[in-house]
Amino acid sequence: MNILLVEDERRIADFVCEGLAARDMRVEHVDNGHAGLERATRGTFDVIVLDIMLPGRDGLSVLADLRKNGNATPVILLTARNELGDRLRGLDLGADDYLAKPFYVEELAARIHALVRRDHQSALQVGDIRLDRVRREALCHGQAIELTTREFNLLEYLMRSAGEVFTRSQILEHVWGYDFDPSTNVVDVCVKRIRAKMEDLPGVDKGNSPIEAVRGSGYRFRAAP
Ligand code: CA
């Protein structure tokens, strides 16, 4: 498990790093808000542990920027005692949990495990595409793709078994759910629409869709390298 810790107090950072490492978590530590945002944006973490009072920029503004850019990595805020206002603001901005200082590292580890369990059930990520199954949202490079229910279901079906080829009849049966005329081209039309919506997003490669047609067979979602 990869954890990003953004905390400027040396003493707290040390005991968190040691405590989590002893529980088989890999912790990357930075000690200011700018570095925190930069690492959180570029890296891939299971959970971000984010202090609120930080030099550079504070934890709440780091959190606000992450969520604004579509980064849905679970965040646990570290708050000073009696800072109810910060806590509420943090939850409003999209924090998943918070811990008031001082805390036991056992408790932090338990909260991390709970969030990762929840996240794995509700989110599915392959390559650049992430599906939030609870909110029914699809993100590409952190940007929302506006999909219909049918398009979302088709994408989820392929992504759940990325790398595997599905025939048009399998996709029809699973996504449309009843006996459609197998000669119908609704699957092809639906795939085409999803690809077009992805390619409409700024910064996305044209003609390099993760949904690949397999000649004579059907479609597969390209597995992450
Ligand atoms: Ca601090």
Side-chain angles (χ1 to χ4, degrees):
M1 219 182 301
N2 280 321
I3 311 296
L4 176 65
L5 170 66
V6 191
E7 167 62 75
D8 59 315
E9 272 174 77
R10 189 78 239 177
R11 191 181 50 82
I12 296 177
D14 284 349
F15 99 80
V16 168
C17 285
E18 278 168 31
L20 296 185
R23 288 165 179 78
D24 290 329
M25 299 185 197
R26 262 212 311 271
V27 187
E28 186 174 329
H29 168 232
V30 292
D31 65 3
N32 68 80
H34 291 295
L37 180 61
E38 198 262 341
R39 286 305 300 137
T41 305
R42 289 208 332 212
T44 311
F45 298 96
D46 296 293
V47 172
I48 299 168
V49 179
L50 182 60
D51 187 28
I52 290 186
M53 298 284 286
L54 289 167
R57 59 188 300 171
D58 68 61
L60 292 176
S61 95
V62 171
L63 172 65
D65 261 35
L66 282 177
R67 295 298 187 242
K68 202 174 68 199
N69 297 330
N71 186 314
T73 309
V75 168
I76 300 177
L77 288 175
L78 300 181
T79 71
R81 203 196 273 274
N82 298 327
E83 281 182 315
L84 179 64
D86 279 352
R87 254 174 247 171
L88 295 178
R89 218 143 54 85
L91 293 173
D92 248 9
L93 288 171
D96 299 87
D97 204 348
Y98 67 85
L99 260 185
K101 295 175 180 178
F103 55 87
Y104 292 102
V105 79
E106 288 82 353
E107 186 172 9
L108 177 60
R111 303 279 186 104
I112 289 173
H113 279 297
L115 280 181
V116 168
R117 269 198 306 274
R118 194 195 72 184
D119 198 47
H120 283 183
Q121 285 160 3
S122 65
L124 175 65
Q125 172 133 19
V126 183
D128 298 325
I129 311 292
R130 183 182 177 89
L131 297 185
D132 183 327
R133 287 151 157 165
V134 174
R135 288 188 224 156
R136 310 281 298 169
E137 275 174 4
L139 297 171
C140 177
H141 290 288
Q143 307 172 83
I145 316 167
E146 298 295 336
L147 298 177
T148 64
T149 303
R150 198 83 86 187
E151 291 161 0
F152 187 97
N153 290 348
L154 194 159
L155 191 57
E156 185 189 13
Y157 182 55
L158 296 181
M159 282 177 69
R160 256 203 335 238
S161 309
E164 227 181 288
V165 181
F166 293 95
T167 64
R168 285 174 180 76
S169 351
Q170 282 175 312
I171 297 173
L172 263 180
E173 201 181 304
H174 183 88
V175 179
W176 276 259
Y178 48 93
D179 280 336
F180 239 86
D181 173 6
S183 67
T184 176
N185 67 344
V186 288
V187 172
D188 304 274
V189 171
C190 190
V191 166
K192 207 168 149 186
R193 277 202 312 259
I194 301 172
R195 283 176 171 164
K197 286 178 179 183
M198 287 180 185
E199 291 187 353
D200 267 356
L201 298 172
V204 172
D205 276 358
K206 310 278 181 267
N208 184 29
S209 172
I211 305 176
E212 302 174 321
V214 181
R215 193 196 288 267
S217 309
Y219 291 99
R220 81 173 147 226
F221 194 93
R222 191 163 58 229

